[in-house]
Amino acid sequence: MIREKKNPKKNSEVQKIIELSKEKIDDCMQCGKCSAGCPANAGMDILPHQVIRFLQIGDVKKLRESKSIWNCAACFTCESRCPRDVSVSKLMEAVRQTVVRKQGEDRLTPEVVSKLMRDRDMPQQAVVSGFRKYSK
Ligand code: SF4
Ligand code: SF4
């Protein structure tokens, strides 16, 4: 059964991260197993379980400004240790994505993409990946 709890702190920024990651942040019980096993935790100013807590209280700004999102190695150790099946890794990636998208808002439009696709020297994977990063 899918549990859906109401959370007044789920502002639009948190909703966007949930939409991108497909994770259920309310399932996290703050046990800290993800942080304890994270191989990159020494370089993080906000530990993995705290990342979820900030999302639960609706403070995405703190996460966007933290170095933790860039120090996460996307190794999925946190996900494999979580007793509630929550992936901090996917949430970190979603926060990173929102930062990158803000930086390059109008850099890659559908018109530019169609031009790039005609360039034989441009790997298609790079275009698709860039479009995913720089489009909303
Ligand atoms: S291991 Fe899972 S339940 Fe525990 S704090 Fe981390 S995300 Fe939350
Ligand atoms: S995916 Fe990131 S947060 Fe999770 S254990 Fe690996 S480095 Fe730590």
Side-chain angles (χ1 to χ4, degrees):
M1 192 175 79
I2 298 169
R3 283 180 295 141
E4 246 335 302
K5 294 177 198 163
K6 292 268 178 266
N7 183 347
K9 297 282 168 59
K10 276 190 189 157
N11 53 45
S12 61
E13 287 188 299
V14 175
Q15 290 291 1
K16 187 72 197 170
I17 285 158
I18 291 171
E19 182 196 319
L20 288 168
S21 66
K22 312 277 186 294
E23 289 302 305
K24 297 192 187 80
I25 58 171
D26 292 336
D27 281 357
C28 170
M29 58 182 180
Q30 290 292 290
C31 68
K33 280 191 78 176
C34 50
S35 298
C38 172
N41 63 12
M44 291 185 177
D45 48 356
I46 298 175
L47 292 171
H49 74 286
Q50 294 171 326
V51 166
I52 305 224
R53 191 65 194 134
F54 275 116
L55 290 170
Q56 287 172 337
I57 63 171
D59 193 348
V60 180
K61 188 172 178 280
K62 267 268 186 340
L63 300 177
R64 279 202 308 265
E65 291 167 353
S66 90
K67 58 180 183 179
S68 299
I69 57 169
W70 306 110
N71 282 347
C72 167
C75 67
F76 294 100
T77 305
C78 48
E79 185 178 317
S80 68
R81 286 172 63 92
C82 180
R84 304 300 292 271
D85 205 21
V86 179
S87 174
V88 186
S89 184
K90 286 183 190 148
L91 289 163
M92 292 270 203
E93 171 60 16
V95 178
R96 279 195 296 270
Q97 240 176 309
T98 61
V99 175
V100 172
R101 283 181 180 186
K102 267 194 194 310
Q103 287 168 346
E105 263 173 60
D106 298 321
R107 213 176 291 170
L108 213 54
T109 60
E111 295 73 35
V112 176
V113 169
S114 66
K115 250 188 234 162
L116 288 171
M117 291 299 253
R118 286 195 291 274
D119 181 347
R120 285 173 178 271
D121 295 330
M122 177 65 74
Q124 290 196 353
Q125 198 175 351
V127 179
V128 173
S129 161
F131 189 57
R132 280 189 60 204
K133 278 202 168 77
Y134 295 119
S135 61
K136 288 191 176 171

